[in-house]
Amino acid sequence: MLQKVLKKEPSLGEMVFRPKLSLVNGHQVSWMTGAKSVMIREVYNKLKYEREIFMLSDGAEIAIDSRPVKDGDDQNRPLLIIIPGMLSGVHDHYHHTLIDLAVKNGYDWKLINYRGVTHRMTTGVPFCSLDS
């Protein structure tokens, strides 16, 4: 298979991998990604949102974050519901990118924060597939 690909595109065989000095192994890549996330969240975060807290019957809390509603806003905008991964929430920079695109394209948004996740949510048993 590799030989077929190289016959069609011989320049691929001439390519050499040269890692950047700052990212020569997986540990450094993980560290740099984490540092970038913290910097974006703490320094460049301009996302404004409102949080509604809901108390569940077992005493746990979940929250739904959304764009602040202003007087005169179009109430008929399409709605993007963001369901993040198990340990993710509105604080993650990749959600900010998605939210920015949604707002620029005329969408409203809501993001679900599971119990036990995203700073404020500390009561109850954390939700995950093992506990559900």
Side-chain angles (χ1 to χ4, degrees):
M1 176 81 146
L2 178 60
Q3 296 304 322
K4 286 182 183 180
V5 172
L6 290 174
K7 274 186 184 178
K8 284 191 170 195
E9 193 59 54
S11 64
L12 289 176
E14 300 166 8
M15 292 182 170
V16 177
F17 175 69
R18 291 186 182 95
K20 295 183 178 185
L21 279 176
S22 60
L23 304 173
V24 293
N25 67 44
H27 299 294
Q28 289 174 321
V29 171
S30 295
W31 185 87
M32 290 296 286
T33 301
K36 178 183 166 192
S37 294
V38 168
M39 186 173 67
I40 288 171
R41 180 175 67 233
E42 301 299 329
V43 177
Y44 298 107
N45 181 10
K46 302 214 182 341
L47 180 66
K48 304 282 188 246
Y49 62 92
E50 294 176 347
R51 175 169 280 184
E52 292 179 74
I53 309 261
F54 297 92
M55 182 72 73
L56 303 179
S57 61
D58 65 354
E61 297 174 343
I62 62 170
I64 296 181
D65 298 330
S66 59
R67 180 181 64 86
V69 178
K70 300 174 190 159
D71 289 337
D73 276 352
D74 181 9
Q75 298 298 314
N76 295 318
R77 294 168 64 142
L79 179 64
L80 172 67
I81 297 175
I82 303 168
I83 303 172
M86 191 169 92
L87 298 176
S88 185
V90 76
H91 59 279
D92 290 314
H93 70 276
Y94 52 89
H95 290 126
H96 296 201
T97 304
L98 179 60
I99 289 167
D100 287 344
L101 284 170
V103 170
K104 285 177 186 173
N105 287 287
Y107 282 76
D108 208 348
W109 62 273
K110 295 207 181 280
L111 186 139
I112 299 168
N113 294 286
Y114 300 110
R115 51 177 144 179
V117 181
T118 68
H119 306 122
R120 164 88 170 74
M121 311 282 110
T122 56
T123 62
V125 177
F127 175 82
C128 68
S129 62
L130 295 175
D131 285 336
S132 59

